[in-house]
């Protein structure tokens, strides 16, 4: 493995950074009138304009050299081959197999995983068709009108995001909900207006042991059985998506109604595995295959396009540039599509769980910054709240602005207004407003300093034709491989998540301390002890 800071590209980038750190985008655009056309790349219907970044041809040349010195392409090839690149868990990382065509073979420990993927996809399609057509009936003979996905983290964020994104392609006669939080309010809100006899739960959990999901699953079971007055109802109102057959059986689900996946699919990379079953029921198998085709198109692009025209590579390198040389802490994700409302949250897990690592592949503490903080909201909403800080604050916040040329609604004028804001924001962030311009526009002198926008705020603009299942697949794959590129540069394991374990273990230790009738002897620190005592005093009522 390569420590990126030891490469000659890194050292050259440091020197180069000193030279161009104050260069203005206004200047770069004036120097090269074709910049807005040349600093672009396109793949699978996604157009990336990265010209409004604080980068020159030389910056890009050095960043690409860094990718070569860090072996990004070799690491990518190892992933596609099925090598166990998740070294801390000794697992292959093969979400790319989830969308590989039937004709492709990828072997893990001698078995062709693509054949297994298609067997599960076929089973999902047959089941989805039965539910959508009304052939699959609930225990009382009523057809299923409501589908609730119970799952958390990687078993929730993707399906919830994709459902919102693609709801205009979904069966509008059905209701789809997503319960993740162990807060009982989540389950209560998701079910309060539904008829149990018409409700199907999809228990989505790779391990089938996750506290939140198992607690909600038990509550769902009780909700169904109490209402339908029969244990036998479980078979008609629950299916499972999991790798844990034994636990699924124990819950009372017939394994004929279990949809499997594999340890080589990480939770946050699993939305296009059987974890997407609720999405397939919503949009139908044909649209779901379109979604997979969109993923696949970017996989092929990532695998075979030279690095200098490779969208995920370019985006990953620019994130490294701001993170490690400008010291930018965050990256804003602003989809100009209301249906992508949950996309920033989805990317937050994808990027922060993948690249929030403090040791390299050999377990040594890194001497450079890794994963950026990801956040965002849809535009134009964000413009009326936090964009002020991006325009005139003191922090550098690179942003990805994502827009679509065609609307999902017939309200075409709305769409022109929406998209005018994508272009206007990227323009305003890059070029700002000078005191001279303000003066010429008649701004009173006393206001000028307050109205100046310095500009030089970087953005990527991603444009696609329309938010279709295919476009969504491509967009998600773009970010998956962008995250991969960053992780490869930083020499970290982007596929483990040991950091989430500690809190889980501690919570399990505290549960009995909350549940016991009399106050237990508390052996935590003084703060934790005091908080637990206060909670016990104020929570009211027995459990
Ligand atoms: C994702 C993480 C994590 C996981 C959840 C749910 O990469 O591993 O978010 O998806 O903890 O796990 P289960 O699917 O096992 O319930």
């Amino acid at each position: 493995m390569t420590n990126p800071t030891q490469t000659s590209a890194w050292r050259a980038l440091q020197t180069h950074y000193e030279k161009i750190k104050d260069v203005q985008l206004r200047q770069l655009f004036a120097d090269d009138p074709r910049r807005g056309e040349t600093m672009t790349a396109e793949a699978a219907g996604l157009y990336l304009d990265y010209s409004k970044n604080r980068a020159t041809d030389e910056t890009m040349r050095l960043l690409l050299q860094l990718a070569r010195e860090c072996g990004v392409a070799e690491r990518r090839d190892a992933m596609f081959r099925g090598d166990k690149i998740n070294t801390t868990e000794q697992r292959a990382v093969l979400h790319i197999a989830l969308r590989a065509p039937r004709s492709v073979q990828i072997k893990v420990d001698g078995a062709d995983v693509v054949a297994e993927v298609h067997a599960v996809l076929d089973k999902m399609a047959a089941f989805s068709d039965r539910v959508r057509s009304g052939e699959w009936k609930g225990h009382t003979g009523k057809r299923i009108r409501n589908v609730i996905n119970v799952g958390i983290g990687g078993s929730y964020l993707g399906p919830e995001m994709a459902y919102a994104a693609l709801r205009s392609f979904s069966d509008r006669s059905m209701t789809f909900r997503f319960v993740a939080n162990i807060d009982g309010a989540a389950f209560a809100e998701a079910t309060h207006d539904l008829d149990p006899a018409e409700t199907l739960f999809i228990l989505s959990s790779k391990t089938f042991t996750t506290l939140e999901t198992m607690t909600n699953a038990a509550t769902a079971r009780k909700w169904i059985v109490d209402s339908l007055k029969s244990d036998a109802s479980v078979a008609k109102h629950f299916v499972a998506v999991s790798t844990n057959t034994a636990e699924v059986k124990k819950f009372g689900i017939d394994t004929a109604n279990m949809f499997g996946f594999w340890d080589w699919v990480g939770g946050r990379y699993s939305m296009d595995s059987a974890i997407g079953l609720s999405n397939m029921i919503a949009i139908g198998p044909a649209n779901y295959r379109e979604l997979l085709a969109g993923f696949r198109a970017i996989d092929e692009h990532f695998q075979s396009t030279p690095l200098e025209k490779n969208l995920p590579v370019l985006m990953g390198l620019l994130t490294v540039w701001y993170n490690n040389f400008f010291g930018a802490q965050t990256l804003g994700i602003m989809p100009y599509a209301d249906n992508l409302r949950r996309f920033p949250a989805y990317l937050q897990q994808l990027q922060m769980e993948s690249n929030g690592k403090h040791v390299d592949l050999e377990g040594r503490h890194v001497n450079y910054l890794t994963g950026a903080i990801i956040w965002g909201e849809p535009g134009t909403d964000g413009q009326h709240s936090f964009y002020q800080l991006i325009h005139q604050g003191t922090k550098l916040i690179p942003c990805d602005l994502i827009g679509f040329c065609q609307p999902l609604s017939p309200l075409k004028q709305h769409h022109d207004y929406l998209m005018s804001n994508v272009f206007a924001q990227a323009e305003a962030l890059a070029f700002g407003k000078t005191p001279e311009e303000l003066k010429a526009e008649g701004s009173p002198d006393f206001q000028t300093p307050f109205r100046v926008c310095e500009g030089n705020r970087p953005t990527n603009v991603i444009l696609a034709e329309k938010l279709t299942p295919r476009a969504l697949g491509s967009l998600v794959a773009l970010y998956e491989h962008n995250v991969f590129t960053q992780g490869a540069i930083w020499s970290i394991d982007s596929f483990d998540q040991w950091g989430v374990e500690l809190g889980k273990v501690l919570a399990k230790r505290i549960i009995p301390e909350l549940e016991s009738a009399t106050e237990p002897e508390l052996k935590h620190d003084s703060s934790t002890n005091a908080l637990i005592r206060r909670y016990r005093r104020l929570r009211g009522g027995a459990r």
Side-chain angles (χ1 to χ4, degrees):
M1 60 143 278
T2 308
N3 178 330
T5 64
Q6 303 301 313
T7 60
S8 56
W10 190 281
R11 284 190 290 273
L13 279 162
Q14 278 175 321
T15 313
H16 173 70
Y17 167 74
E18 289 304 324
K19 261 201 268 164
I20 77 146
K21 63 178 190 222
D22 297 321
V23 169
Q24 299 292 307
L25 281 166
R26 276 179 182 253
Q27 193 58 49
L28 294 176
F29 273 80
D31 291 349
D32 175 7
R34 293 198 58 240
R35 183 181 164 94
E37 288 148 49
T38 52
M39 289 186 85
T40 63
E42 195 167 357
L46 301 180
Y47 175 81
L48 168 68
D49 173 359
Y50 61 98
S51 63
K52 295 194 186 82
N53 280 290
R54 291 166 69 171
T56 62
D57 288 348
E58 177 67 356
T59 319
M60 297 315 296
R61 191 185 68 73
L62 292 172
L63 286 170
L64 288 160
Q65 187 190 326
L66 178 66
R68 289 191 188 95
E69 286 188 62
C70 292
V72 170
E74 290 75 10
R75 217 167 142 67
R76 171 199 66 197
D77 295 345
M79 171 171 78
F80 276 81
R81 256 196 323 266
D83 290 6
K84 298 196 171 164
I85 62 164
N86 175 358
T87 46
T88 74
E89 296 180 300
Q90 310 222 304
R91 287 178 181 166
V93 174
L94 276 176
H95 41 280
I96 52 105
L98 298 170
R99 52 267 190 159
R102 284 182 207 268
S103 54
V104 168
Q105 273 203 350
I106 303 171
K107 294 208 166 160
V108 175
D109 299 328
D112 175 20
V113 299
V114 180
E116 294 176 31
V117 163
H118 281 277
V120 173
L121 276 173
D122 291 343
K123 184 173 169 181
M124 288 165 65
F127 179 73
S128 300
D129 282 338
R130 290 179 73 194
V131 174
R132 286 165 64 84
S133 67
E135 184 196 326
W136 177 282
K137 302 228 170 350
H139 180 69
T140 64
K142 284 190 172 178
R143 72 181 283 173
I144 296 298
R145 303 252 171 228
N146 319 308
V147 174
I148 302 186
N149 184 78
V150 179
I152 197 163
S155 300
Y156 153 69
L157 285 160
E160 193 207 31
M161 177 279 288
Y163 174 64
L166 301 178
R167 57 188 312 163
S168 59
F169 296 84
S170 73
D171 181 340
R172 299 293 198 162
S173 70
M174 297 182 73
T175 298
F176 292 87
R177 293 194 180 148
F178 301 84
V179 174
N181 203 324
I182 201 164
D183 180 346
F187 184 86
E189 283 296 335
T191 51
H192 79 279
D193 55 348
L194 302 184
D195 176 358
E198 298 182 337
T199 304
L200 174 75
F201 287 93
I202 301 177
L203 305 184
S204 295
S205 176
K206 185 171 166 181
T207 54
F208 229 69
T209 56
T210 305
L211 177 70
E212 291 89 337
T213 303
M214 291 303 109
T215 306
N216 281 321
T219 300
R221 195 180 197 286
K222 190 167 176 336
W223 186 73
I224 289 287
V225 171
D226 285 358
S227 157
L228 305 183
K229 315 245 177 310
S230 163
D231 276 341
S233 59
V234 171
K236 288 288 170 198
H237 293 268
F238 288 86
V239 297
V241 179
S242 187
T243 56
N244 189 342
T245 313
E247 285 300 318
V248 169
K249 267 193 200 154
K250 232 195 255 172
F251 189 87
I253 294 174
D254 181 350
T255 49
N257 301 323
M258 169 178 166
F259 301 84
F261 61 122
W262 308 270
D263 71 356
W264 42 262
V265 187
R268 56 194 173 276
Y269 295 88
S270 69
M271 67 163 268
D272 51 339
S273 69
I275 289 290
L277 181 61
S278 59
N279 295 147
M280 195 194 266
I281 297 172
I283 63 175
N287 276 324
Y288 196 83
R289 288 195 190 274
E290 277 288 293
L291 175 81
L292 297 181
F295 273 98
R296 176 71 185 169
I298 287 290
D299 292 347
E300 285 172 359
H301 165 79
F302 180 52
Q303 195 176 14
S304 59
T305 307
L307 300 187
E308 50 277 11
K309 280 285 164 198
N310 198 309
L311 268 70
V313 171
L314 292 169
M315 289 177 72
L317 290 174
L318 285 164
T319 296
V320 170
W321 175 232
Y322 292 119
N323 191 67
N324 295 92
F325 296 90
F326 284 83
Q329 295 278 344
T330 84
L331 173 67
I333 306 285
M334 316 302 172
Y336 280 70
D338 204 61
N339 286 4
L340 282 182
R341 191 162 281 283
R342 294 293 284 158
F343 196 55
Y346 173 77
L347 290 187
Q348 202 165 50
Q349 179 188 27
L350 182 68
Q351 304 210 40
M352 294 172 75
E353 206 165 60
S354 296
N355 287 342
K357 306 291 159 66
H358 64 169
V359 293
D360 66 16
L361 285 165
E362 283 168 15
R364 291 178 306 217
H365 209 284
V366 293
N367 61 347
Y368 43 87
L369 291 177
T370 60
I373 299 161
I374 305 295
W375 61 285
E377 283 287 326
T380 60
D381 301 13
Q383 292 173 207
H384 298 268
S385 68
F386 54 79
Y387 273 41
Q388 163 65 31
L389 187 144
I390 309 177
H391 282 286
Q392 286 190 312
T394 53
K395 298 192 167 60
L396 178 67
I397 304 178
C399 293
D400 289 353
L401 310 184
I402 303 166
F404 298 88
C405 298
Q406 293 170 26
L408 288 171
S409 81
L411 303 170
K412 293 203 163 132
Q413 192 187 40
H414 283 239
H415 205 67
D416 289 344
Y417 291 178
L418 173 72
M419 292 305 293
S420 71
N421 279 280
V422 176
F423 308 133
Q425 287 299 318
E427 199 175 20
L429 287 164
F431 307 117
K433 191 78 151 170
T434 63
E436 297 72 33
E437 284 167 341
L438 284 163
K439 206 175 171 63
E441 286 169 13
S443 158
D445 280 353
F446 81 94
Q447 275 185 353
T448 300
F450 307 98
R451 296 177 68 166
V452 164
C453 286
E454 293 167 330
N456 229 18
R457 269 68 169 162
T459 55
N460 286 317
V461 175
I462 299 168
L463 275 188
E465 203 172 286
K466 190 172 180 179
L467 181 50
T468 57
R470 187 179 277 258
L472 181 69
S474 294
L475 200 56
V476 173
L478 171 67
Y479 278 94
E480 284 179 348
H481 300 320
N482 165 355
V483 170
F484 180 95
T485 301
Q486 297 165 34
I489 300 280
W490 291 323
S491 274
I492 54 177
D493 188 335
S494 299
F495 303 100
D496 63 11
Q497 58 282 315
W498 299 104
V500 298
E501 296 302 319
L502 176 62
K504 281 192 199 171
V505 172
L506 293 183
K508 282 204 174 136
R509 191 174 132 202
I510 291 174
I511 289 171
E513 295 171 349
L514 303 186
E515 286 186 328
S516 78
T518 54
E519 186 173 303
E521 189 192 347
L522 296 172
K523 292 187 177 151
H524 303 274
D525 58 278
S526 59
S527 157
T528 310
N529 288 344
L531 289 166
I532 291 174
R533 278 193 204 105
R534 187 172 180 83
Y535 173 74
R536 287 183 58 95
R537 214 169 50 243
L538 297 179
R539 69 181 167 179
R543 291 298 172 265

